[in-house]
Amino acid sequence: MSITTTVTEQRGSSLRDACPQGLHLPGDPGYDAARMPWNVAIDQRPAALVTPRTVAEVQAAVRAAAAAGLRVAPQSTGHNAGPLVAQGLDDVVVLRTSEMTGVHVDAARKVARVEGGALWLHATEAAGDHGLAALHGSSPDVGIAGYSLGGGIGWYARKLGLATNSLLAVELVTADGEHVRASASENPDLFWALRGGGGSFGVVTALEFRLYDIATAYAGMLVWDVSRAEAVLRRWVDWSAGAPDEVTTSFRVLNLPPLPDIPAPLRGRSVVVVDGAVLGADHEAEGVLADLRSLTPEIDTFARVPARSLVRLHMDPEGPTPTVSDSTMLAELPPEGIDAFLGEVGPGSSSSLLLAELRQLGGALGRDHEGGGALKRLEGAFVAFGAAIAATPELAAQGEHDAHRLTKALSPWSNGRSYLNFAENAVDPRSGYDERTWLQLKGIRSAVDPHGVFVGNHRIPRLVENLRVTD
């Protein structure tokens, strides 16, 4: 056993008095189960893992970790654990907020208040009971905190913008163990940083965000065989350029395994899917979708549906899943770019990717949100994303190779920026921001966490780094 390991274990053991409940150290019977993130392909081995149930327990854990010379990584689900693990966890306490899942909807004010570990399914169900909707993502079991602090692209995004800019307040435990509230009137600089700056500023214990009068939406999917990929993609890209803000869609090539939980018409097939939602009356939505429907999809589920159902529209995997992926943001996708995309994942490509996706940007996503935070908009026309199931080391290696091949093929049309919520590998976090925003984020991190206690998935460094090379 190395001296470093011995010291780290001693530090971890010093947490026991402060965190008698929910503490897992290497060697403990529950450590291996507790340390697993949602993406179980990531081998996350922190110095300790704590699962607090209350704000007071979060405070105690942060203070004890800092006193022991350990850093703290806030985590609710671990969907995006790859960049965190890449920074090294030998001296890190992962603080998992998964036991803090309370949700309260104030229907009169159209505001939801959720605890730091709440999932989107919790909030969409509660809001839907009142005929309201949140700016949730495409997966029901993504943590609201991480999604919201990193941006948040949902099915209403081109009309209402990034979810982070619908935040009204964030409550968090800071590096000195204090519990503070950040809003437009309380700690406004910190509030600005939290809206898009990620998890480098503290442990989120609660969020409040705006809800919208959306009880139903015209939503669904159009499905074609993969042999139609070229015709559909060229039409969708042209259509996207003139689509109204009321519609938000994605384009995917799916290579679906022959599993019983996949609907029979899609099981074991390679297909092309355009899914999304349109805000407005049925006749308006039908007009918006007419150009795509003229390509005669074999499946067309677009119809008036309850807004609460949209959290599962994308059919994202639920529950712990081993995945590998890569992503890039595209300024445009000209005909040559479409050829490059199809060359990697179109008919005859033999790609191992479960999905190759293009998320439609523009509309409100491309405009500065008035009074918004560090991430006021997303520059670009599309976000490209490729993912594979990594059930074995061999499948992981092949999937990672194919995901990187896809983004490399699209690199001539990349704008050099990253949407960090989709960046599940270690990337330079500066690529998520312009230079002025990056400098402001570093300054605020320096003020609220001067000793570098917190480790975010995509780390915002301090203005003046100390000698710890990992911070």
Side-chain angles (χ1 to χ4, degrees), residues 10 75 79-80 90 92 102 142 145 171 187 195 213 217 241 246 249 266 280 315 317 347 407 419 430 464 467:
Q10 291 173 347
Q75 189 177 85
H79 273 75
N80 197 326
D90 288 347
V92 171
V142 162
E171 295 176 11
N187 299 298
R195 286 178 293 160
D213 281 314
E246 285 73 16
T249 61
L266 304 178
M315 300 187 302
T407 55
Y419 174 53
R430 286 177 293 187
V464 179
L467 296 179

Side-chain angles (χ1 to χ4, degrees), residues 68-243:
L70 296 169
R71 297 180 295 157
V72 175
Q75 189 177 85
S76 57
T77 64
H79 273 75
N80 197 326
L84 175 64
V85 171
Q87 298 176 59
L89 299 182
D90 288 347
D91 66 340
V92 171
V93 177
V94 169
L95 200 154
R96 183 76 60 78
T97 57
S98 54
E99 296 296 316
M100 304 172 68
T101 59
V103 173
H104 173 73
V105 171
D106 185 333
R109 294 174 55 226
K110 299 176 187 175
V111 171
R113 176 184 171 82
V114 303
E115 291 187 316
L119 307 180
W120 269 122
L121 182 62
H122 302 146
T124 54
E125 289 294 310
D129 290 342
H130 300 280
L132 299 170
L135 301 189
H136 61 81
S138 61
S139 176
D141 64 350
V142 162
I144 297 173
Y147 168 95
S148 299
L149 268 58
I153 304 174
W155 295 120
Y156 317 120
R158 284 173 32 83
K159 180 65 175 179
L160 299 173
L162 290 160
T164 196
N165 292 309
S166 281
L167 284 175
L168 299 173
V170 179
E171 295 176 11
L172 70 161
V173 173
T174 54
D176 56 5
E178 294 301 309
H179 190 234
V180 304
R181 180 180 172 90
S183 68
S185 59
E186 306 158 283
N187 299 298
D189 289 345
L190 177 58
F191 184 54
W192 175 88
L194 290 166
R195 286 178 293 160
S200 294
F201 303 92
V203 182
V204 172
T205 60
L207 306 97
E208 295 178 11
F209 50 86
R210 188 174 292 110
L211 299 173
Y212 295 88
D213 281 314
I214 304 174
T216 65
Y218 197 88
M221 63 175 60
L222 308 173
V223 183
W224 298 261
D225 186 77
V226 73
S227 61
R228 302 288 308 282
E230 180 176 359
V232 176
L233 181 54
R234 294 191 190 280
R235 177 70 60 84
W236 181 77
V237 169
D238 287 344
W239 169 88
S240 295

Side-chain angles (χ1 to χ4, degrees), residues 137-139 153-155 236 248-252 275 314 316 357-362 381-385 419 422:
S138 61
S139 176
I153 304 174
W155 295 120
W236 181 77
T248 304
T249 61
S250 78
F251 172 96
R252 288 179 293 169
D275 58 354
H314 211 49
D316 284 353
E357 179 169 353
L358 297 166
R359 289 279 180 109
Q360 180 188 11
L361 302 181
F382 306 101
V383 177
F385 183 78
Y419 174 53
F422 280 7

Side-chain angles (χ1 to χ4, degrees), residues 44-58:
Q44 179 174 271
R45 294 179 178 272
L49 186 137
V50 182
T51 53
R53 297 162 300 178
T54 65
V55 170
E57 289 181 1
V58 174

